[in-house]
Amino acid sequence: MDIQFTEEQELLRNSVQRLLKDEYSFDIRRDIVASNEGWSRDHWRKFADLGLLAAPFSEEFGGFGDGPLATMIVMQEFGRSLVVEPFMETVVLAGGLIEAEGSDAQRHAYLPIIAGGGEIWALAWAEQGSRYDLGNVSTSARRSGDDFILSGTKTAVIGAPWADKLIVSARTSGDRRDHDGVSLFIVDRQSAGLHLQSFKTVDGRRAAEITLKDVRVPASGLLGAEGQGTAILERCRDRAIGALCAEAVGAMTELNASTLDYSKTRKQFGVALGTFQVLQHRMVDMFVALQEALSLTQHLVLSLSDGETGVSKLASGAKAKVGYAARFVGEQAIQLHGGMGMSDELNVGHYFKRIGAIDILFGDPAFHLMRFARTS
Amino acid sequence: MELKLSSEDAAFRDEVRSFIAENYPQEMRVLNPETDLSKEQSLLWHRILHRKGWIAPLWPKEYGGPGWSLTQRFIWEQETSRAGTLPPLAFSVTMVGPVIYTFGTDAQKQKFLPRILSGEDWWCQGYSEPGSGSDLASVRTKAVRDGDHYIVNGHKTWTTLAQHADWIFCLVRTDPAAKPQAGISFLLIDMKTPGVTVRPIITIDGSHEVNDVFLENVRVPVANLIGEENKGWTYAKFLLGNERTSMAGIGRSTRYLRRLKDIVRTEVPKDDPASGEFERDIARVELDILALEATELRVVAQMARGIDPGAAASLFKIRGTEIFQRITDLTHRVMGHYGLALREPAGGNNIFMPGPAYGHTATEKYLNSRKLSIYGGSNEIQRNIIAKAVLGL
């Protein structure tokens, strides 16, 4: 099941690697995270120039035509360098939704801008009390002439403080927890009645709680079929999980490498840490965890790419398995680095925190474990 | 779970309970006392206990201890941790105090003990060094005799709350030629001495608890040497024995578990797919606590009969820290999306925190508790101790 990457895909990986190696060192990232904005437009521009922001789209929009694989390649490298810029939110989530579900007019209006790095997008689906249920929506959208009027609150919207546009889930019919009746809307971030309360996230990004008070959205802002938003978001989540798993694999790769390296140089009781059998076995388990995570991620990405039925169950399985594996690797990387692992100065803790955030996004391992168990 | 108490001990427990209820300062009931209180605020309870004569339960009466029995001391531990009071600074009261009254000179006792009891002096611990980790005997900080002084040069690290400290007790190498354990001495150093510099270390939870302490040509009077030169390892081990007791943290874990259950009830609806998972995970931790508490009570009862607890401290450290880490993990997990936010207590500018207040410290607690299995002798080291001392391997 090993993926034979095409020459073009290898080129993509090499060019991402080179760019990040030259321009996204851990020190540069630290400065970006500490800056007022919290992300780097300059780097975003470079990602666009390199074609990364187009890569997952079809050839028509400058991409490779094999979205999940291109996404995996980019996200794995972004995971290794802890890139904070909103590739996930803008390209994978919003771009993916527009490409898969949008009208021709929407695709042509938005995808070139996204692929060219012209706009940042964010996806607002979660609400207080919704936990990880995509269909648990109380934000309402009611028709008013040619427009929809949106009211409600959205929670923990990653990248919202940076965003030009939001995709917002709102209920056009049914009760709060009905699967049907949710619709998606493209909402301008500067819309009247839309209010953000921003906060920093544990992994050095920015997010916001969003209040919508009678926000007017033209009917042309409806994304996908009215009332089908939950099913649309479920497909979006499957793609997102492929991307997040790839990112987690990238982070685990770096954690394992630096732990192994540290265990060979750090001395305790006169010998290198790596000579203690208990730690050798721990690092073997970390290695095994990474191998399993990588395999399952590739398996999921191939299934996404082939559009196989049952991919949603597999996505949940991967989110659970990779999530537990990454958590194990992260916790043990800190443990084996000892006090240094606790320090903000070292990159280990930052990988660990990103892994913790990936765990939460679109549902934690326990949620997906049970969803895997209950999905046929 | 309770010890079977005599009527005197039961009366003592009631007295302790009501004393805490009536006297613990409201000002100290903040989200995260370890990081959120100023030096002065964290000393409020210390001073109240000092006035009451209860500040140093471990100390013999002649040095200012309350003269409690082992059972009474245990009751005190249990009641204070159940009530969630901030313990008096361990480095002063539990660590250096007993070293001074056990191995110090009369002059040292007279100078330091009253100031520890009153809270006038804040002590920090100069044990760890870059590169030393759990291997404390690898101390490289050097102290060279120069007349009535030692000249100390070195670098201590992970020094908890050194930013508040008036004094630091240090392991220093006085005989570079001797075997690692043999050439170490135990020195008391005034933090105001020229050449002492403190640099903050920010940890992954964004807090400032620990520091680097640099010692550059620091002149320390020979009168500040504890016991004999090159015998410091003996005193250091004596101190570590005190550090590792009460590591089980039953009271704290019980409190956090109760809180976790409340949060789960509010945050996770019964029909959430993970609801059963939480129920099962919480039940497991609850049983872990119960088993550890029963073990602790059994050991306390044995100690009261004069039986050596052996490596029980290592067992308490391993299980106590694993349990607390698990609780903070679950508490973080139960907060769902709000677990993405981090409060950043040290100079962070996260003014707005999303979600209900009971979740605002979930992320930092989870991150911060990773240290528990590392410090005080890592859990791997504790397992080695049991393997060697108990199993004879």
Side-chain angles (χ1 to χ4, degrees):
Chain A
M1 213 169 50
D2 192 31
I3 298 181
Q4 295 290 311
F5 292 101
T6 63
E7 203 174 311
E8 206 183 14
Q9 285 162 342
E10 287 297 350
L11 261 168
L12 173 66
R13 186 198 308 280
N14 291 341
S15 60
V16 186
Q17 277 177 350
R18 204 171 324 117
L19 176 68
L20 296 178
K21 186 170 175 286
D22 294 345
E23 316 230 12
Y24 215 92
S25 67
F26 185 64
D27 285 341
I28 290 175
R29 180 203 183 260
R30 182 186 294 283
D31 291 343
I32 292 173
V33 169
S35 69
N36 263 341
E37 278 217 284
W39 70 293
S40 162
R41 283 179 196 278
D42 186 37
H43 284 84
W44 195 249
R45 187 77 259 150
K46 284 170 182 156
F47 296 160
D49 291 346
L50 205 59
L52 302 189
L53 307 185
F57 299 131
S58 61
E59 277 112 354
E60 187 187 355
F61 296 103
F64 283 60
D66 199 344
L69 268 161
T71 299
M72 179 181 78
I73 290 167
V74 175
M75 288 299 281
Q76 212 170 324
E77 298 307 321
F78 277 18
R80 291 179 62 189
S81 292
L82 286 172
V83 172
V84 294
E85 280 67 27
F87 178 82
M88 176 77 194
E89 290 73 20
T90 303
V91 178
V92 181
L93 299 180
L97 278 169
I98 293 165
E99 182 163 48
E101 320 286 348
S103 64
D104 268 353
Q106 286 169 330
R107 275 200 288 269
H108 284 97
Y110 301 125
L111 289 184
I113 296 175
I114 287 176
E119 277 182 353
I120 300 298
W121 288 56
L123 174 62
W125 66 268
E127 298 186 358
Q128 177 156 18
S130 73
R131 287 196 77 80
Y132 305 126
D133 181 357
L134 297 167
N136 186 337
V137 175
S138 61
T139 296
S140 66
R142 61 184 163 79
R143 274 210 182 257
S144 163
D146 284 342
D147 297 339
F148 286 92
I149 310 287
L150 273 60
S151 286
T153 55
K154 291 287 168 181
T155 204
V157 185
I158 309 292
W162 305 332
D164 303 291
K165 292 212 169 55
L166 306 167
I167 296 177
V168 179
S169 65
R171 192 160 278 291
T172 38
S173 67
D175 292 328
R176 168 159 194 171
R177 305 195 60 179
D178 288 349
H179 187 272
D180 289 342
V182 174
S183 305
L184 300 183
F185 296 92
I186 296 171
V187 181
D188 201 291
R189 154 90 161 71
Q190 302 299 335
S191 303
L194 192 147
H195 178 68
L196 260 62
Q197 269 187 303
S198 304
F199 60 94
K200 281 189 192 172
T201 58
V202 63
D203 52 344
R205 293 158 204 236
R206 307 289 165 90
E209 302 287 281
I210 298 181
T211 312
L212 302 114
K213 205 175 163 197
D214 296 328
V215 175
R216 191 168 281 272
V217 180
S220 61
L222 182 68
L223 180 63
E226 184 174 336
Q228 296 304 303
T230 306
I232 292 171
L233 283 174
E234 280 168 355
R235 292 193 289 274
C236 171
R237 176 175 61 194
D238 296 341
R239 294 189 295 270
I241 288 174
L244 289 171
C245 285
E247 191 186 357
V249 164
M252 290 163 78
T253 306
E254 291 301 311
L255 284 173
N256 277 2
S258 78
T259 305
L260 185 60
D261 191 45
Y262 188 72
S263 78
K264 288 176 179 169
T265 49
R266 166 79 170 186
K267 291 209 162 149
Q268 288 272 269
F269 306 100
V271 292
L273 269 185
T275 58
F276 294 101
Q277 198 172 41
V278 67
L279 302 186
Q280 290 175 354
H281 288 188
R282 195 86 53 81
M283 283 184 282
V284 169
D285 290 341
M286 292 164 78
F287 166 79
V288 172
L290 172 57
Q291 293 305 310
E292 290 186 325
L294 174 64
S295 306
L296 205 49
T297 300
Q298 291 196 354
H299 180 39
L300 169 63
V301 167
L302 286 177
S303 303
L304 283 167
S305 176
D306 296 343
E308 282 176 17
T309 53
V311 74
S312 199
K313 179 184 169 92
L314 179 59
S316 277
K319 187 72 164 60
K321 178 75 186 170
V322 175
Y324 287 128
R327 181 67 73 110
F328 169 73
V329 164
E331 289 182 351
Q332 292 310 322
I334 295 210
Q335 181 71 19
L336 268 60
H337 277 84
M340 282 310 294
M342 287 299 294
S343 136
D344 184 68
E345 216 174 301
L346 201 70
N347 59 15
V348 169
H350 296 267
Y351 285 107
F352 177 58
K353 292 195 273 187
R354 178 57 186 162
I355 280 170
I358 289 174
D359 244 20
I360 293 169
L361 297 175
F362 288 99
D364 69 12
F367 172 87
H368 281 288
L369 183 74
M370 297 321 290
R371 185 171 179 271
F372 176 76
R374 290 168 191 174
T375 306
S376 51
Chain B
M1 203 182 304
E2 304 287 346
L3 274 181
K4 284 203 170 34
L5 296 180
S6 66
S7 56
E8 292 83 32
D9 285 336
F12 175 74
R13 181 199 56 206
D14 295 344
E15 185 191 356
V16 165
R17 247 179 225 181
S18 54
F19 183 78
I20 295 170
E22 285 157 23
N23 292 284
Y24 193 70
Q26 201 49 43
E27 205 179 326
M28 293 178 71
R29 296 246 177 237
V30 292
L31 278 179
N32 195 351
E34 278 86 2
T35 55
D36 294 357
L37 294 175
S38 69
K39 180 177 177 178
E40 272 317 300
Q41 285 172 318
S42 62
L43 280 168
L44 289 171
W45 179 229
H46 185 118
R47 299 215 163 95
I48 291 166
L49 290 176
H50 176 234
R51 280 196 297 275
K52 178 80 174 169
W54 286 0
I55 186 65
L58 202 67
W59 294 22
K61 217 163 173 174
E62 55 173 315
Y63 299 119
W68 288 341
S69 69
L70 193 129
T71 307
Q72 284 177 309
R73 290 209 303 260
F74 182 74
I75 291 169
W76 172 254
E77 278 292 319
Q78 209 173 29
E79 291 303 320
T80 47
S81 72
R82 278 180 182 174
T85 64
L86 184 73
L89 188 68
F91 306 103
S92 303
V93 178
T94 322
M95 298 187 187
V96 78
V99 169
I100 293 172
Y101 66 65
T102 310
F103 304 106
T105 62
D106 284 342
Q108 287 169 339
K109 291 179 200 173
Q110 276 159 25
K111 177 174 177 184
F112 293 113
L113 297 182
R115 299 164 64 99
I116 289 174
L117 292 171
S118 67
E120 198 175 337
D121 285 344
W122 182 295
W123 284 81
C124 64
Q125 180 183 36
Y127 271 30
S128 286
E129 297 184 4
S132 72
S134 289
D135 181 8
L136 281 180
S138 68
V139 165
R140 279 186 301 200
T141 295
K142 270 192 301 197
V144 180
R145 188 77 182 254
D146 177 31
D148 288 345
H149 285 80
Y150 288 101
I151 315 287
V152 181
N153 278 287
H155 175 186
K156 297 291 179 182
T157 193
W158 313 123
T159 316
T160 302
L161 300 178
Q163 69 265 38
H164 298 331
D166 304 294
W167 286 82
I168 181 169
F169 54 93
C170 275
L171 296 184
V172 295
R173 189 157 296 286
T174 34
D175 183 358
K179 284 186 174 170
Q181 281 89 342
I184 294 171
S185 298
F186 195 108
L187 271 188
L188 312 179
I189 303 177
D190 187 337
M191 293 290 279
K192 288 185 293 292
T193 322
V196 180
T197 322
V198 177
R199 190 186 72 180
I201 300 175
I202 305 301
T203 42
I204 56 175
D205 55 326
S207 71
H208 173 202
E209 271 185 296
V210 288
N211 302 272
D212 281 308
V213 178
F214 298 96
L215 304 157
E216 277 176 282
N217 295 319
V218 179
R219 292 183 68 83
V220 182
V222 170
N224 289 1
L225 174 75
I226 289 286
E228 290 176 51
E229 196 177 270
N230 297 330
K231 290 280 167 63
W233 187 244
T234 312
Y235 319 135
K237 275 198 307 189
F238 167 85
L239 181 150
L240 287 178
N242 289 331
E243 187 188 13
R244 281 175 202 154
T245 53
S246 78
M247 277 272 197
I250 298 295
R252 182 168 74 159
S253 287
T254 306
R255 255 186 309 120
Y256 274 76
L257 183 75
R258 197 180 310 132
R259 200 165 136 266
L260 169 61
K261 285 179 172 177
D262 289 342
I263 299 177
V264 170
R265 266 192 288 279
T266 321
E267 290 289 317
V268 187
K270 280 283 170 206
D271 59 352
D272 185 283
S275 168
E277 281 281 289
F278 276 115
E279 213 173 327
R280 201 188 60 179
D281 288 346
I282 288 170
R284 285 209 168 119
V285 180
E286 191 165 355
L287 281 176
D288 286 343
I289 295 175
L290 204 62
L292 190 63
E293 188 176 11
T295 309
E296 192 179 46
L297 292 178
R298 193 157 60 86
V299 169
V300 169
Q302 287 175 349
M303 283 168 72
R305 296 204 307 274
I307 300 171
D308 179 5
S314 291
L315 186 154
F316 293 145
K317 202 260 161 167
I318 294 168
R319 293 303 290 144
T321 56
E322 286 173 350
I323 286 169
F324 192 68
Q325 286 179 335
R326 186 77 183 123
I327 294 172
T328 60
D329 174 13
L330 287 168
T331 308
H332 180 241
R333 193 138 68 74
V334 80
M335 289 315 300
H337 289 106
Y338 299 121
L340 288 165
L342 175 63
R343 203 172 54 122
E344 289 191 327
N349 48 1
N350 246 358
I351 295 158
F352 170 69
M353 281 290 287
Y358 54 68
H360 286 183
T361 55
T363 308
E364 72 192 64
K365 287 273 184 195
Y366 168 64
L367 295 171
N368 186 277
S369 77
R370 304 315 313 164
K371 74 183 179 193
L372 301 177
S373 49
I374 297 169
Y375 75 11
S378 74
N379 285 12
E380 287 83 358
I381 295 289
Q382 304 299 340
R383 286 188 163 87
N384 285 347
I385 290 172
I386 294 177
K388 204 168 157 186
V390 183
L391 307 181
L393 294 170

